[in-house]
Amino acid sequence: NDPLLDDGKPDLPVSIDCLAWPMPAHRSVSSTFKDPKHPFVPGKHDGTDFPAPVGTPVLAVADGEVEWTREVAPGQDAAVSIRFDQTWFFEVHHLSRVEVAKGATVARGQPLGLSGGAVGAAGSGPWTTGPPLHFSLRHGQAYVNVAKYFCP
């Protein structure tokens, strides 16, 4: 059992009932949290992958502040991390464009960037098998299953 992959469901901050979807029109899942069949990290996948066409807007799931960004570059996983409470963070990975900067305040539903993840494309990083958005939710240092938190 990996202490950095939490199967529980810690309570969201009091002001948040549920998290918005990062790509509302793309809710299907290609790889689940802790997916035992993940091609790169079987059983240790720290997020959920949502397939979507490259260039799909990726939206903030809650109000927060940009903790860090990683820009689009060859061989690099372009990503954004948002802190939305003292101990809660969400991350979006495999972007084809990053549209926010470290320290910026973001509102729920605000574009953070564009999805990417096409194999070999700049920003997709070395761990993609197609164009997904990798979405991770973290409480403190542990990643949690975001499927338990999305709004219906």
Side-chain angles (χ1 to χ4, degrees):
N1 230 1
D2 189 333
L4 297 181
L5 298 174
D6 185 353
D7 284 323
K9 187 181 179 199
D11 291 335
L12 285 171
V14 176
S15 61
I16 300 174
D17 292 332
C18 59
L19 300 177
W21 289 80
M23 299 181 303
H26 301 280
R27 295 183 180 194
S28 66
V29 172
S30 59
S31 187
T32 60
F33 180 74
K34 294 179 74 174
D35 186 347
K37 296 179 182 175
H38 193 277
F40 301 107
V41 286
K44 296 180 184 252
H45 192 229
D46 67 9
T48 301
D49 291 348
F50 299 98
V54 172
T56 300
V58 175
L59 310 177
V61 302
D63 296 345
E65 181 179 328
V66 179
E67 179 187 30
W68 54 261
T69 65
R70 203 165 35 234
E71 294 303 315
V72 175
Q76 178 170 281
D77 171 30
V80 173
S81 178
I82 306 290
R83 180 177 49 82
F84 64 97
D85 186 68
Q86 294 293 31
T87 60
W88 282 95
F89 305 82
F90 68 88
E91 300 170 7
V92 292
H93 292 260
H94 310 314
L95 302 176
S96 62
R97 187 166 79 201
V98 173
E99 297 179 349
V100 293
K102 181 179 178 178
T105 299
V106 298
R108 181 177 172 144
Q110 177 181 335
L112 302 174
L114 300 177
S115 68
V119 176
S124 66
W127 305 290
T128 59
T129 58
L133 173 73
H134 175 89
F135 186 96
S136 294
L137 180 64
R138 194 164 39 94
H139 181 244
Q141 295 301 312
Y143 288 93
V144 296
N145 186 354
V146 70
K148 299 175 180 182
Y149 296 94
F150 281 131
C151 299

